[in-house]
């Protein structure tokens, strides 16, 4: 009888698309504190139309890379308001706040982070004006780390 001493498993592959529900609520909460879709899109490196589709619930899945970058952005801006130095920035923030108020999107403090990435999650909280803790800086996503390599002796 022959015994197999070593089995080779296929490497785990990352899914090509992930559920968008958590990203949708993260982006909506950024809009609820005044960040407009164009500013969010610039930070994420995607077209503003994609951010609008995600925010409006018209997208079901995104790439894992976009999800990771959106999570980084949310971590950086969840409690920060956008700059309002120019008339254009003030108009963009006012428009974002109107959109969030009209659609009843809560700010980040109204989200349950433990359940946020569960498909179908809906927050219990409603829109309320949020002052933030300061102004959001420009955003540069962290570089993705290369996968760890193992040395097999």
């Amino acid at each position: 009888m022959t015994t197999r001493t070593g089995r080779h498993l296929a490497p785990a592959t990352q899914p090509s698309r992930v559920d968008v529900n958590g990203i949708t609520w993260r982006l909506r909460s950024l809009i609820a504190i005044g960040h407009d879709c164009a500013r969010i899109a610039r930070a994420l490196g995607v077209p503003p139309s994609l951010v609008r589709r995600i925010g409006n619930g018209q997208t079901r899945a995104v790439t894992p890379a976009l999800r990771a970058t959106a999570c980084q952005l949310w971590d950086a801006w969840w409690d920060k308001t956008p700059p309002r130095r120019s008339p254009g920035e003030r108009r963009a923030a006012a428009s974002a706040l109107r959109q969030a108020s009209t659609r009843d999107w809560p700010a980040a403090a109204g989200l349950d982070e433990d359940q946020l990435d569960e498909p179908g999650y809906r927050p219990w909280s409603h829109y309320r004006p949020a002052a933030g803790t300061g102004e959001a800086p420009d955003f540069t996503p962290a570089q993705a780390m290369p996968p760890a390599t193992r040395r097999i002796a």
Side-chain angles (χ1 to χ4, degrees):
M1 178 173 196
T2 307
T3 307
R4 292 182 77 175
T5 57
R7 288 186 146 183
H8 297 283
L9 299 175
T13 59
Q14 188 175 25
S16 62
R17 308 288 280 176
V18 294
D19 185 78
V20 76
N21 192 60
I23 300 308
T24 298
W25 285 109
R26 283 179 177 92
L27 297 185
R28 287 175 177 177
S29 74
L30 292 178
I31 293 168
I33 201 166
H35 298 281
D36 66 296
C37 290
R39 184 166 200 267
I40 294 169
R42 282 190 305 275
L44 294 176
V46 299
S49 60
L50 177 58
V51 173
R52 280 191 291 279
R53 285 194 317 270
I54 292 170
N56 290 331
Q58 298 169 324
T59 302
R60 293 182 188 263
V62 295
T63 64
L66 178 56
R67 181 192 182 286
T69 305
C71 288
Q72 290 175 24
L73 177 65
W74 189 72
D75 287 342
W77 284 2
W78 74 271
D79 63 341
K80 306 284 189 281
T81 59
R84 292 181 170 109
R85 297 175 294 251
S86 70
E89 288 176 337
R90 289 189 290 277
R91 277 192 307 273
S95 176
L97 293 171
R98 258 191 323 276
Q99 180 183 21
S101 175
T102 300
R103 296 179 179 182
D104 201 24
W105 293 342
L111 301 177
D112 184 341
E113 286 187 66
D114 292 335
Q115 297 179 7
L116 189 54
D117 290 309
E118 295 294 321
Y121 166 77
R122 293 195 52 91
W124 57 268
S125 186
H126 300 281
Y127 173 81
R128 290 186 180 192
T133 61
E135 187 176 291
D138 289 338
F139 176 76
T140 304
Q143 295 296 320
M145 297 299 291
T149 56
R150 283 190 315 187
R151 294 184 73 173
I152 299 175

